[in-house]
Amino acid sequence: MLVEQELAAQVLQRALSRGGDFAELFCEEREGFTLSIDESRIERPQSSRERGAGVRVIDGEVTRYAHVDGLAEADLLRAADGLAGALGGEPARPIALRAAEPPKLQRIQVPPGSVPAERKAEILRELDERARAASPEVTQASASYSEGRRRVAVFNSEGLEAADDRTRVRLGAQVVARRDGTVETGFETLGAHRGFELLEDDPGAIAEQAARKALDLLGADPAPAGEMTVVVGGGFGGVLFHEMTGHGLEADAVQKGASVYAGQLGERVAEPLLTAYDDGSMPGEWGTGAIDDEGTPCRRTPLIEEGRLTSYLYDRLRARRDGTESTGNGRRETFRDLPIPRMTNTYIEPGDGDPEAIISEVDRGFYAVSFGGGQVEPATGDFVFGVSEGYLIENGKATRPCRGATLIGNCLQALTRIDAVGSDFEMKTGFCGKAGQTAPVGTGQGHVRIRGMTVGGTAV
Amino acid sequence: MSGPEELAGAARRAVEAATGAGASDAEAWGEGSRNREVRVHAGEVESLTEASGRGVGLRAWIGRRTGYAYGTDLSDAGISQLAEAAVGAARVADEDESAGAPDPPTEPIPEIPGLLDPAVSGTETATVIDLAKRIERTALDRDPRVSGVEEVVYVDEQSQAAIVTSHGVAGSYETSTAYAYLQAMASENSEVQTGLGFGVGRSPGDLEAEAIGAEAGDEASSMLGATKPDSRTCPVVLSDRVTASFAGFIGAALCADEVQRGRSPFADRLGDELASAALELADDGVDPGGLVSAPFDGEGTPRGRTPLVGGGKLLAYLHDTYTARRAGARSTGNAARRSYRTPPSVSISNLVIEPGELSLEQLIRETGEGVMITEVAGLHSGVNPVTGRYSVGASGRAIRGGELAEPLREFTIAGDLLGTLAAVRAVGSESRWVPFGGSVRTAPMLVGELTIGGA
């Protein structure tokens, strides 16, 4: 228990002592440990532990928020009084708190905190050795390990009391390879909402995958520039849908008219072969939780069903505005942040396309296997993605690797041009930034083909 | 809010606890802040956040092994737990002959006027709400086609920092910042375009509501009707914001850590003739106008000014204590901490690009036929800091016959940082502080040739 129910009830009562429609207390304890290896040396061990709370009062359309470091009773009450001090109405009475059903916590077999740091260092040494052993052309290898445990408790004036306990482990490997004057990099990660058991099954493989990416690129040609058919690979290829469409479905952008999907609910936005979900309840995935950071249970929300737009992603505030229920997407980076609608794990459901045929049907095009990341402007729908691994498609075959490619386009147009969805499927981990807050998100899909997309490269 | 003395006290206790727990040396960084954020939309306050926070970050050394821990519990029990965590972390690290506590500074700590403007804490919340509303109003009134503002965000912060080490380094300072930004939307028919405006300063009085709002409204409406340009290679003018973003990547690649580890396109290039003579770039941690300016860096080393590129040559790398020891050089005072939650590492402070002779209008005339880039997107994934190659999304305006012409969008610009440095033809004369790519004072610049990827 981060704070006692009695104290939480008192905070809510004081927060509403001069009016307001809704009050909430969010408490959190975060513990973490990170470690890296660079130049074959274990370095930057970092240990962290912090606690804090945020008190929120919603009065009409105005949200007031105060957060404090620590969970001391006096600080929590002072935060509540400060918020109430700005209002001048009659006291509102919170509904008595009642603990929710025990949350469906993810099963953590081996708490990472119970594993000696030396074991974590050993894994990093293995990554380093395997990356360097991949080729004499590997000139630099580095890898990082991070674990985090986040315990949260939410109490609100509607009587909600809920808690979650989230443990995440992630490993990353970066490799630099050099041939003559050419330098290339490769990157690979492994992460989950799981314990140390995630690393039981050959974690060192990601170092070899990162090395292979860098080595492949050494022989790469400059990427082509211009419009062509693009096949996007499975797994992290899902970041394309995350950026292109997911952000535009977050209700805060929609309600301000700052999304191209505003007013499009029920409309055809893609071919019937496309179905996509946001699902915060997928077992063990990176973006998974028992509840969101407002206490709403995480769940699966259909975003696009057979080409039709079916739902936006809501937190409580935006759901109230639209007269609907939260979809369990009210997330915040820490107690220092207000919750906002965010994706959890977003994916395109596997289709019936044969991944090989999806490529072999293309005469000339570009195969984007993986991305370094991307960005979208939801108001206009314009997006851009950096391709970290890409190949030319010539006469139905993925041929030469290309360096420095960027995919660019407009989401409304690009989504309608998806003409094949593969039957393969993979989930990958990522970090999503929005309004200054970073959230762990999962992305997934199989091979997806888009007819007519702009590839920005250096070869004109 | 904790005062500097209280923070220094907590830092001293943390250092003592760490040496008591087995550290041969220790360094503690205490930080306290009070901040306020206002978000305004459609003439109404959307959210109002007031917060205070404080914490301590502790580096502990066991000989040549370094560990780090941070925490927010400044009670004796909390500090003792923090010390155990930092020392425990150090035990995991491998030895590194260049590692060790920073030495006390041999140079005097500079005095920088105006780092703290007491007006930040003296300004009523109602006043800054009004400022945010005026920013939004100005944007909406600029052009009938400006259809809305997603939100105006106003933030101010007053903070203190204190450092104590077992090597006799000790110091503290206070600063304040205030900034505001907005994204305006303009629409016509079914097309929507966006434009950004911002202002930065030490207190709300430094922010000019009308200028901030006008920039966003004008940019959004000027982009209406934008089309995709043809793929080609041509001269481009980079706006001050875009220039700042690129300068940030160049500055990062000049940090000695990446250079020493073979992950910078500038490695082994010191003294080389690699840039255009038109470009003069410096890191300046003591310019009173720079928001990152401070008397000392994250290790207590005095901040200063380091010329990086000038006369066409690469002049210096940026160092902290570790990279300086490794290179047999002196720290340039570039150990940065994003907060007490991160250990210090080499980073740019403020970047300054010396202004040139030509106004923006003259730069455009000089360009003749080309493109002006006003916005870039996807920098995080589109710039490879190891190779220096980039390909990023862009929007802007066509330049025809030496004048700005139709708006352009949905294209990419691609090249490499070194090539771009060499291709700079002129830096403009109108420079300002831009909070993109870090904290950068720059004007627009004209680059001789870049690859445009469009239709």
Side-chain angles (χ1 to χ4, degrees):
Chain A
M1 205 59 180
L2 292 176
V3 299
E4 295 302 322
Q5 193 187 61
E6 198 185 321
L7 172 59
Q10 206 182 346
V11 169
L12 295 175
Q13 193 199 340
R14 300 260 285 258
L16 291 178
S17 63
R18 288 163 64 90
D21 306 323
F22 174 83
E24 176 196 66
L25 170 65
F26 176 81
C27 302
E28 180 174 16
E29 181 174 76
R30 312 166 65 84
E31 291 169 273
F33 180 71
T34 60
L35 190 66
S36 57
I37 191 164
D38 200 347
E39 301 180 305
S40 301
R41 197 164 41 223
I42 295 291
E43 55 178 33
R44 298 186 179 125
Q46 284 179 53
S47 167
S48 63
R49 184 188 168 86
E50 58 177 345
R51 298 170 132 205
V55 185
R56 173 163 71 135
V57 172
I58 301 177
D59 179 41
E61 289 296 307
V62 183
T63 298
R64 290 171 199 274
Y65 193 61
H67 57 83
V68 294
D69 282 324
L71 297 173
E73 178 173 337
D75 289 335
L76 299 186
L77 291 173
R78 197 177 311 121
D81 289 343
L83 293 173
L87 299 175
E90 290 299 308
R93 283 190 64 85
I95 295 170
L97 292 170
R98 54 181 189 287
E101 296 281 306
K104 293 195 192 83
L105 295 182
Q106 297 297 309
R107 183 154 163 258
I108 305 301
Q109 292 172 25
V110 185
S114 71
V115 177
E118 253 322 309
R119 173 68 193 126
K120 296 157 192 171
E122 264 172 39
I123 289 178
L124 291 178
R125 286 189 217 279
E126 186 197 331
L127 261 67
D128 179 63
E129 280 161 21
R130 284 171 70 173
R132 289 175 191 277
S135 161
E137 290 173 328
V138 169
T139 55
Q140 284 288 337
S142 59
S144 62
Y145 165 85
S146 75
E147 68 187 39
R149 182 177 177 192
R150 206 181 159 211
R151 289 198 294 152
V152 304
V154 192
F155 307 87
N156 74 29
S157 58
E158 292 170 2
L160 177 137
E161 177 181 338
D164 200 358
D165 188 343
R166 307 170 190 149
T167 294
R168 291 186 173 94
V169 171
R170 194 171 197 251
L171 202 57
Q174 192 196 14
V175 172
V176 180
R178 182 186 291 268
R179 183 183 302 159
D180 305 323
T182 306
V183 179
E184 290 296 347
T185 59
F187 186 66
E188 192 51 76
T189 63
L190 173 67
H193 185 143
R194 291 177 65 190
F196 204 74
E197 67 272 17
L198 171 71
L199 307 184
E200 275 165 5
D201 185 24
D202 195 19
I206 66 164
E208 281 156 7
Q209 289 155 10
R212 187 192 52 77
K213 286 185 184 184
L215 293 165
D216 277 359
L217 281 171
L218 283 176
D221 293 328
E227 195 163 303
M228 62 194 78
T229 294
V230 172
V231 175
V232 179
F236 202 62
V239 73
L240 193 71
F241 183 79
H242 167 106
E243 293 292 342
M244 229 167 60
T245 305
H247 278 296
L249 298 181
E250 292 167 342
D252 50 343
V254 174
Q255 289 178 348
K256 287 174 176 168
S259 164
V260 288
Y261 292 108
Q264 298 276 307
L265 221 53
E267 300 293 319
R268 264 284 293 280
V269 293
E271 294 296 321
L273 55 80
L274 190 76
T275 294
Y277 297 95
D278 179 84
D279 188 353
S281 64
M282 292 173 96
E285 289 301 338
W286 187 237
T288 297
I291 54 171
D292 70 0
D293 297 315
E294 299 183 293
T296 309
C298 290
R299 66 181 203 197
R300 187 175 84 154
T301 305
L303 301 174
I304 293 174
E305 283 182 305
E306 298 184 350
R308 282 188 198 281
L309 190 62
T310 44
S311 180
Y312 299 129
L313 293 172
Y314 287 102
D315 61 357
R316 294 183 65 103
L317 180 68
R318 279 79 184 184
R320 194 183 65 156
R321 261 182 213 152
D322 274 7
T324 182
E325 283 192 354
S326 167
T327 52
N329 291 87
R331 305 183 73 190
R332 42 183 145 200
E333 183 177 342
T334 75
F335 61 89
R336 299 184 180 91
D337 304 294
L338 276 167
I340 47 176
R342 303 292 296 262
M343 285 171 267
T344 58
N345 304 298
T346 313
Y347 63 94
I348 294 176
E349 189 173 62
D352 52 14
D354 169 19
E356 278 177 29
I358 286 176
I359 295 172
S360 66
E361 287 160 12
V362 179
D363 207 30
R364 180 178 174 272
F366 187 73
Y367 179 28
V369 177
S370 192
F371 297 101
Q375 189 181 334
V376 70
E377 174 44 66
T380 61
D382 289 344
F383 62 77
V384 52
F385 292 88
V387 178
S388 59
E389 185 182 5
Y391 300 85
L392 273 187
I393 301 176
E394 293 167 306
N395 302 317
K397 287 199 171 61
T399 56
R400 290 170 291 156
C402 294
R403 66 168 60 106
T406 299
L407 298 186
I408 184 164
N410 187 270
C411 61
L412 286 177
Q413 210 172 48
L415 207 61
T416 59
R417 291 182 180 174
I418 293 180
D419 72 349
V421 176
S423 56
D424 54 326
F425 185 77
E426 197 185 349
M427 290 292 298
K428 283 281 186 183
T429 67
F431 287 99
C432 169
K434 176 178 170 182
Q437 299 188 43
T438 301
V441 294
T443 60
Q445 68 173 45
H447 282 71
V448 166
R449 187 172 62 210
I450 306 169
R451 295 274 178 203
M453 200 169 194
T454 302
V455 178
T458 45
V460 178
Chain B
M1 187 167 67
S2 326
E5 300 75 21
E6 194 190 333
L7 284 171
R12 194 167 301 112
R13 282 187 290 131
V15 167
E16 283 162 10
T19 49
S24 49
D25 279 302
E27 168 206 77
W29 178 268
E31 214 173 74
S33 64
R34 188 204 54 73
N35 52 57
R36 169 168 64 181
E37 181 199 84
V38 175
R39 290 178 186 253
V40 161
H41 172 68
E44 300 292 339
V45 174
E46 193 175 67
S47 72
L48 186 60
T49 301
E50 305 225 5
S52 60
R54 79 271 175 282
V56 169
L58 180 62
R59 269 204 295 184
W61 288 271
I62 302 176
R64 300 289 176 208
R65 301 167 192 268
T66 315
Y68 192 78
Y70 73 83
T72 50
D73 182 354
L74 306 188
S75 69
D76 284 341
I79 292 281
S80 136
Q81 198 175 32
L82 175 69
E84 291 290 343
V87 174
R91 290 203 179 94
V92 189
D94 285 337
E95 293 214 354
D96 186 333
E97 57 178 16
S98 305
D103 291 320
T106 50
E107 306 275 317
I109 302 282
E111 291 231 4
I112 309 169
L115 282 187
L116 174 72
D117 186 338
V120 156
S121 49
T123 307
E124 295 287 336
T125 298
T127 307
V128 299
I129 289 174
D130 181 61
L131 175 82
K133 286 181 177 172
R134 275 192 291 134
I135 291 173
E136 187 186 43
R137 194 71 255 158
T138 307
L140 291 170
D141 288 347
R142 281 308 273 195
D143 187 301
R145 297 171 300 169
V146 176
S147 52
V149 168
E150 193 170 340
E151 60 187 358
V152 178
V153 180
Y154 168 87
V155 177
D156 63 29
E157 175 172 276
Q158 187 171 335
S159 61
Q160 308 86 33
I163 188 169
V164 173
T165 77
S166 57
H167 258 48
V169 175
S172 67
Y173 63 86
E174 288 189 78
T175 70
S176 64
T177 55
Y179 60 89
Y181 61 91
L182 76 157
Q183 176 157 285
M185 295 177 283
S187 18
E188 197 167 40
N189 305 321
S190 62
E191 181 192 358
V192 179
Q193 295 293 347
T194 59
L196 199 69
F198 64 87
V200 293
R202 295 282 176 202
S203 78
D206 294 341
L207 308 182
E208 292 175 45
E210 283 69 28
I212 297 168
E215 183 175 5
D218 290 352
E219 186 176 294
S221 46
S222 73
M223 285 303 295
L224 284 168
T227 56
K228 188 188 279 203
D230 290 334
S231 298
R232 64 183 187 275
T233 296
C234 65
V236 299
V237 174
L238 305 179
S239 75
D240 50 11
R241 273 158 37 191
V242 175
T243 301
S245 295
F246 278 108
F249 279 99
I250 289 165
L254 290 172
C255 289
D257 208 31
E258 298 308 313
V259 171
Q260 290 168 353
R261 295 171 189 241
R263 288 195 292 256
S264 165
F266 295 104
D268 302 320
R269 302 299 303 269
L270 207 59
D272 284 5
E273 200 126 347
L274 49 70
S276 152
L279 182 73
E280 273 186 68
L281 173 71
D283 179 88
D284 191 338
V286 293
D287 187 315
L291 288 190
V292 182
S293 292
F296 54 83
D297 71 359
E299 298 180 312
T301 306
R303 286 218 181 258
R305 187 174 198 280
T306 309
L308 297 171
V309 174
K313 289 196 172 115
L314 178 60
L315 302 174
Y317 299 126
L318 297 172
H319 286 288
D320 63 4
T321 298
Y322 171 82
T323 63
R325 280 190 190 144
R326 201 169 149 162
R330 279 163 57 97
S331 168
T332 53
N334 282 84
R337 297 193 193 238
R338 264 178 296 157
S339 79
Y340 63 84
R341 292 178 212 110
T342 53
S345 62
V346 202
S347 178
I348 53 172
S349 60
N350 308 290
L351 291 175
V352 175
I353 294 177
E354 282 307 310
E357 305 289 325
L358 303 179
S359 67
L360 177 58
E361 205 183 321
Q362 288 168 313
L363 285 179
I364 290 165
R365 197 173 309 144
E366 183 82 15
T367 306
E369 306 293 318
V371 173
M372 167 140 183
I373 311 289
T374 53
E375 186 78 56
V376 281
L379 289 162
H380 168 68
S381 60
V383 182
N384 186 326
V386 177
T387 64
R389 277 195 310 273
Y390 64 85
S391 173
V392 299
S395 55
R397 302 276 293 274
I399 297 174
R400 296 181 194 284
E403 285 182 20
L404 283 185
E406 78 277 8
L408 302 172
R409 60 182 265 261
E410 213 184 314
F411 62 97
T412 61
I413 51 173
D416 75 277
L417 295 176
L418 282 167
T420 306
L421 275 184
V424 172
R425 263 168 52 192
V427 176
S429 57
E430 299 134 325
S431 81
R432 61 170 174 164
W433 285 101
V434 182
F436 290 64
S439 164
V440 185
R441 198 184 75 209
T442 186
M445 64 166 68
L446 166 58
V447 177
E449 212 177 70
L450 274 187
T451 305
I452 307 279

